Amino acid sequence: MFTLLISIFLIGWVAAAVIGTQAYFKGEQTKPIHERNLKSESFEPIAQLVTGQETDYGKRVLAYGLDTFGSNNL
């Protein structure tokens, strides 16, 4: 009985970790990206391995692209 309870807990924990990891990387693949992270070489391979899809850079735009322009026109 105790072994069954531990097994169910362990399987649930692994499933939650896998789902959470996929949700994180899928969310990060669609968020605006800060300029300093635009050329990150480590994110893309890990995200593709975890989610099974490539990052669509058409959706992923620079987060602070207009800050300089906006601050110069205040």
Side-chain angles (χ1 to χ4, degrees):
M1 177 74 173
F2 191 66
T3 306
L4 180 63
L5 184 61
I6 290 175
S7 300
I8 291 173
F9 177 75
L10 186 61
I11 290 169
W13 184 83
V14 170
V18 168
I19 291 170
T21 302
Q22 284 190 349
Y24 170 78
F25 278 103
K26 285 188 179 197
E28 287 295 317
Q29 284 178 317
T30 58
K31 281 184 184 175
I33 186 169
H34 193 279
E35 188 174 0
R36 71 175 175 260
N37 297 329
L38 186 62
K39 296 183 181 181
S40 173
E41 296 177 8
S42 61
F43 174 77
E44 180 63 32
I46 295 171
Q48 191 171 2
L49 177 71
V50 171
T51 63
Q53 61 188 16
E54 293 184 15
T55 302
D56 182 6
Y57 286 100
K59 294 180 183 176
R60 198 165 190 206
V61 297
L62 289 174
Y64 304 107
L66 298 176
D67 281 359
T68 304
F69 178 78
S71 63
N72 287 337
N73 289 318
L74 289 177

